[in-house]
Amino acid sequence: MEPQYVSTPFGRRSMTLGMLASQESASKVDPDASVDKWKIFRALCEAKDMVGVSDRALAVLNALLTFYPKNEIAEANGFVVFPSNEQLSLRTHGMAGTTLRRNLAMLVEAGLIIRRDSPNGKRFARRNGEGGLGEAFGFSLAPLLVRAREIEAQAAQVMAAKLEWKRLRERLTLCRRDITKLIEIALEEEVAGEWIEMQKHFNLLSASLPRRPSAAEMESLLADLEAFRELIVKTLESKSKTEKTDANDIQNGRHIHNSNPHPISELEPSFERKQGAKPEEEPRHWREPPKSFSLAMVLQACPEIIAYGPGGGIGSWRDLMAAAVIVRSTLGVSPSAYQLACDVMGPENAATVIACILERGGHINSAGGYLRDLTRRAERGEFSLGPMLMALMRANGPTARKTG
C-alpha cells in the first residue's frame, strides 16, 4: 500500500493550500475503488474547460498515463508513475523541457496529479523484499480516482450543452430557410405587402448573430426569427384568404345573375333601399375576421400596453382585451368605434390595433378617426395587420435595442 503523507515539492517550488487540499482528498481514497484510466482521460478531454487545463497539459497527462502499468487506476496497483522529463518529452512528441514543466505544474494546480518528490528531486522507485515496487517518487494519479465521478459529471454537462447548441443551430437554420423561401415566393407571386422591408429586417436580424454564437444568443435570435416567421405566415394566409373570398364573391355573383332573371329586390322587398336612405344604411358585406397573431408577438411589437393590463401585466388575450378597453378610453376612442372594429376585425385583432395605436401615439392626431379608417379598410379587405406589427417589431426589435 502506498504510504499516505503530506508531500512538499522539491527545490524552489512552493507549497499551496490547493496542493494540500488535493493531497488530503487523495489520502481518503476508497481501497476498493477503481477507474479505467482511458475512460477518465476521455472525460477530462470533454470537461477540460471546466476543470481548467489546456490541450497541451492533457497531452502531458496522456503521456503520464502510458507509464501506468495497468488500465485500472486502483490502490492495489499503486498510484505513482516516475518517468524522467526526457522520457516524457519523447512521449509528448518532443515537447520542450520548459513547456513540459509548465504543463506539469498546470496539472498539479488543477488537482489532477500530486507531486511525490524524493529528497533530491529525482523520480524513482525502490523494490521491496518480495521483488515488487515499494516506495515510489514521481507523480501520483490518485486524484483521478478520487475525482472520477465529478469529472464524469462535468463531461456529461459539457456534452449536453454541445447537443443543445447543435439543436438550437439546426432550428435556427430551418427558421432562416423558411423565412427566405416565404419572402421569395411572396415576391415572385407579387403578393401585396411590404416584402422588401421584411427582407431588410430579416437581413438585419441575421447579421446580428456572431460568428461563433453562444446558446443564449442563438436562443434570443431564434425567438425573434420564429415570431417574424409567424408574422410572415399570417400575412400570407390573410392575403390568400382575402383573394379566395373575393373570388367566391365574384363566382356567386355570376351564378345569381345567370340563374335568376329576377332581381333580388323583386323577391325580397325588405332589402330595397328606402327613398332618401344613406348608403351607409345598406346591409354590410361582412368578411370573416382574419386569425389573430400570437400574444407574444403582439407584446413584443407593442410593449407599452403591458402596463395597462390587470395588475400591471398581460398574460392572456383576455388581459389584452381588458387593457385595450382602458387604453381606448385614454386615447379618446368612442365605444361605438371600438365595437365596430371588434365586429369587423374580431376582438383580438381590434385589441391588437388599439395596442399599435398606443405604441404610435405620438404620430397619430385622432386615434378614433384612425381606428374608424382602419375598420373601413378592413371591411373592404384592404387592411392587413401584419405589416403594422412588422414595422413595430422592427422598431422595438434587437437591432433597435442595440442602437438605442
Side-chain angles (χ1 to χ4, degrees), residues 38-49:
W38 299 121
K39 181 180 178 182
I40 194 63
F41 179 73
R42 286 192 294 271
L44 267 173
C45 291
E46 289 287 348
K48 62 184 178 66
D49 293 332

Side-chain angles (χ1 to χ4, degrees), residues 30 42 232 236 395:
D30 184 356
R42 286 192 294 271
I232 293 174
L236 288 173

Side-chain angles (χ1 to χ4, degrees), residues 191-193 234-247 249 284-290 343-345 372-387:
V191 178
K234 294 290 186 183
T235 303
L236 288 173
E237 287 178 349
S238 176
K239 295 295 183 183
S240 175
K241 189 172 183 179
T242 301
E243 291 176 1
K244 184 177 179 181
T245 302
D246 292 342
D249 290 345
R284 297 179 181 273
H285 175 69
W286 302 103
R287 295 185 183 272
E288 182 182 356
D343 293 340
V344 174
M345 305 179 191
R372 287 185 181 276
D373 180 62
L374 293 181
T375 302
R376 285 193 293 268
R377 289 168 57 193
E379 189 176 6
R380 297 193 302 266
E382 299 173 357
F383 170 67
S384 176
L385 189 53

Side-chain angles (χ1 to χ4, degrees), residues 295-343:
L295 180 63
M297 184 191 304
V298 174
L299 296 181
Q300 181 183 352
C302 310
E304 288 190 14
I305 199 170
I306 296 175
Y308 294 87
I314 293 177
S316 65
W317 281 107
R318 183 180 297 275
D319 293 344
L320 179 65
M321 289 186 284
V325 172
I326 299 174
V327 172
R328 181 223 24 106
S329 177
T330 304
L331 294 175
V333 177
S334 66
S336 60
Y338 184 59
Q339 183 59 50
L340 182 59
C342 290
D343 293 340

Side-chain angles (χ1 to χ4, degrees), residues 191-213:
V191 178
E194 300 178 5
W195 300 109
I196 300 299
E197 291 299 320
M198 288 186 178
Q199 180 70 62
K200 292 179 180 179
H201 179 58
F202 172 60
N203 292 339
L204 288 174
L205 285 175
S206 299
S208 67
L209 191 68
R211 183 178 296 274
R212 183 68 179 179

Side-chain angles (χ1 to χ4, degrees), residues 384-400:
S384 176
L385 189 53
M388 179 183 287
L389 279 177
M390 188 274 295
L392 290 174
M393 283 181 65
R394 185 167 59 248
N396 298 324
T399 306

Side-chain angles (χ1 to χ4, degrees), residues 94-160:
M95 185 179 290
T98 54
T99 305
L100 183 65
R101 288 189 292 272
R102 184 170 62 253
N103 286 288
L104 284 170
M106 180 181 290
L107 293 172
V108 173
E109 291 173 5
L112 298 177
I113 62 175
I114 295 173
R115 290 185 184 275
R116 296 295 191 198
D117 287 350
S118 65
N120 62 1
K122 301 295 184 181
R123 301 171 198 151
F124 62 90
R126 292 193 179 94
R127 298 287 177 179
N128 56 26
E130 300 174 356
L133 288 179
E135 189 174 18
F137 297 98
F139 298 102
S140 173
L141 303 177
L144 295 179
L145 176 58
V146 174
R147 298 179 60 186
R149 290 186 178 179
E150 172 197 347
I151 293 169
E152 288 172 353
Q154 289 174 327
Q157 184 178 348
V158 170
M159 291 177 67

